């Protein structure tokens, strides 16, 4: 749901909103309410995030962030997206990485776990925002069909199903996870 305001909000104003129990993203200055995740959604995001975190820590590749971690994808008007899981490669981590502000860059990998209430247009808009901002790999996880769609800036799109393996490719070298394990 979009909350209309008289003027575009900034990322700073989003950060300063009082805690009202809702989650928000900012899309071109418009405040968007995000529905809390259900059990299956949360379990899948955590399972995949845990596997990514273990791999990243073992190989010192960068940092993995949990849901609700905001990334500035555009400025003026601001777009702040919060993927369900994200990865930033070591070489892209800004010197001021451990601040309370949103990341000033796009993640190298963004993972979105699709909720039953999300519409296809909303999901594709998120994918486009990530890729246009410089995200190198986007995984969209569909719990209902037990599939994962992999997007790259090159417009290459791959559909993975339970018999396939999800790989980190050049973004997260060496990472591999059977798709079936994501939905276990």
């Amino acid at each position: 749901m979009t909350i209309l305001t008289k003027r575009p909000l900034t990322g700073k104003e989003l950060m300063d909103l009082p805690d009202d129990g809702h989650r928000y993203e900012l899309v071109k200055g418009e405040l968007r309410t995000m529905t809390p995740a259900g059990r299956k959604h949360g379990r899948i995001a955590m399972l995949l995030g845990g596997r990514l975190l273990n791999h990243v820590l073992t190989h010192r590749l960068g940092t993995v962030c949990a849901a609700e971690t905001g990334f500035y994808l555009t400025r003026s008007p601001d777009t702040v997206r919060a993927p369900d899981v994200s990865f930033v490669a070591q070489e892209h981590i800004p010197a001021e990485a451990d601040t309370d502000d949103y990341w000033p860059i796009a993640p190298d990998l963004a993972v979105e776990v699709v909720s039953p209430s999300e519409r296809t247009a909303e999901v594709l808009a998120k994918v486009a925002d990530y890729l246009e901002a410089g995200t190198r790999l986007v995984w969209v996880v569909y719990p209902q069909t037990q599939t994962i769609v992999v997007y790259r800036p090159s417009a290459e799109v791959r559909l993975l199903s339970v018999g396939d393996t999800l790989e980190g490719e050049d973004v997260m070298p060496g990472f591999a996870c059977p798709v079936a394990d994501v939905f276990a």
Side-chain angles (χ1 to χ4, degrees):
M1 178 172 79
T2 301
I3 297 173
L4 299 175
T5 58
K6 293 181 181 184
R7 61 170 179 72
L9 291 178
T10 66
K12 173 76 170 113
E13 290 169 319
L14 174 63
M15 177 71 72
D16 292 340
L17 286 176
D19 184 0
D20 63 0
H22 295 285
R23 295 174 41 214
Y24 299 100
E25 285 184 325
L26 195 60
V27 179
K28 295 181 179 139
E30 292 181 5
L31 196 60
R32 304 264 174 103
T33 304
M34 298 170 55
T35 304
R39 291 180 291 175
K40 184 187 285 188
H41 180 286
R43 183 179 52 76
I44 289 170
M46 187 62 189
L47 190 147
L48 190 51
R51 284 180 176 257
L52 290 169
L53 180 62
N54 286 337
H55 182 77
V56 166
L57 291 176
T58 299
H59 300 284
R60 298 182 181 185
L61 298 175
T63 191
V64 175
C65 298
E68 300 185 38
T69 302
F71 289 84
Y72 279 105
L73 301 183
T74 64
R75 296 291 198 131
S76 297
D78 292 353
T79 294
V80 177
R81 292 280 194 188
D84 292 307
V85 181
S86 55
F87 163 72
V88 178
Q90 190 66 46
E91 63 269 19
H92 297 142
I93 296 175
E96 73 285 351
D98 279 334
T99 69
D100 287 331
D101 197 6
Y102 302 122
W103 283 84
I105 59 171
D108 289 287
L109 166 68
V111 180
E112 289 288 346
V113 179
V114 178
S115 298
S117 63
E118 282 186 286
R119 291 178 296 159
T120 302
E122 293 170 346
V123 174
L124 293 176
K126 287 181 185 184
V127 170
D129 285 348
Y130 291 126
L131 294 175
E132 289 170 9
T135 299
R136 300 185 297 151
L137 189 60
V138 179
W139 296 340
V140 178
V141 180
Y142 290 91
Q144 300 291 63
T145 59
Q146 295 192 346
T147 57
I148 300 174
V149 180
V150 178
Y151 295 89
R152 301 282 309 211
S154 64
E156 174 189 346
V157 177
R158 290 184 309 132
L159 174 65
L160 304 177
S161 58
V162 175
D164 297 319
T165 299
L166 180 63
E167 297 180 356
E169 305 177 31
D170 61 330
V171 175
M172 190 178 298
F175 178 81
C177 174
V179 172
D181 289 0
V182 173
F183 303 106

